[in-house]
Each structure stands twice: as C-alpha cells, then as structure tokens.
Amino acid sequence: MNHTDPDRTERVLTEALAALAGGVHAAPDAYRPARGEWLRRERRRRLVLAVLITVVFAPATPIGLWGLSEAPSQPGVIFSGLPSAQVDTR
C-alpha cells in the first residue's frame, strides 16, 4: 500500500510548479516592434494585391463587354437548326 501523505503531495506539486513558473520569462522588448513590422508588411501585401486585382479586372471588364456587344444578333449556324427543305425523309 502506498503511504503518500496528502500534505507531502501538495508540497511537491507546489515546488514543481514554482520551479516551472520560474523558468518562464517575459516577452523580449523586440517582440512589439517585430510584430508592428509584420503587420505593416501584411497591410502592404494586401494593398498590392488589391491594386493588382484592380489593374487586371478594370480593363478586362469593358473589353469583355465590348466583345460581347460585337457578337451578331442573328442566330448562327449552330443555333439555326436544319431548314425543312433539306431534311432527308428517305
């Protein structure tokens, strides 16, 4: 049978947790400026992406609409079907 005293267990755990907590150090002073620099780069990346999307899609939209407006309004060969005179009933 294990004769572990509850007070001894509590004392050992308290010492172990105190030793563990003593090994934890505060964040270094360089963390805040590094994080600020990372946020600035992230904002810059997003801005560059937005500008690229605008530069690509702004001219593409009117060009696409112009191309669609130039399409013939009469039905083409694909959509006209066969004239009834050319149907072979043999």
Side-chain angles (χ1 to χ4, degrees):
M1 186 170 187
N2 192 353
H3 298 288
T4 305
D5 184 24
D7 293 334
R8 179 180 174 270
T9 303
E10 183 179 347
R11 182 174 36 83
V12 170
L13 283 174
T14 303
E15 290 171 3
L17 291 174
L20 181 64
V24 175
H25 302 289
D29 293 336
Y31 174 75
R32 191 174 300 261
R35 183 176 182 274
E37 180 64 29
W38 181 84
L39 290 174
R40 279 190 292 278
R41 284 185 304 196
E42 183 66 22
R43 272 187 248 119
R44 193 176 316 132
R45 280 189 207 111
R46 289 181 185 198
L47 178 66
V48 167
L49 183 63
V51 168
L52 285 174
I53 288 172
T54 302
V55 165
V56 169
F57 284 109
T61 302
I63 290 170
L65 290 174
W66 174 79
L68 288 173
S69 70
E70 294 296 315
S73 59
Q74 295 80 21
V77 175
I78 296 173
F79 301 110
S80 65
L82 292 174
S84 58
Q86 291 183 355
V87 175
D88 189 14
T89 56
R90 292 185 238 186

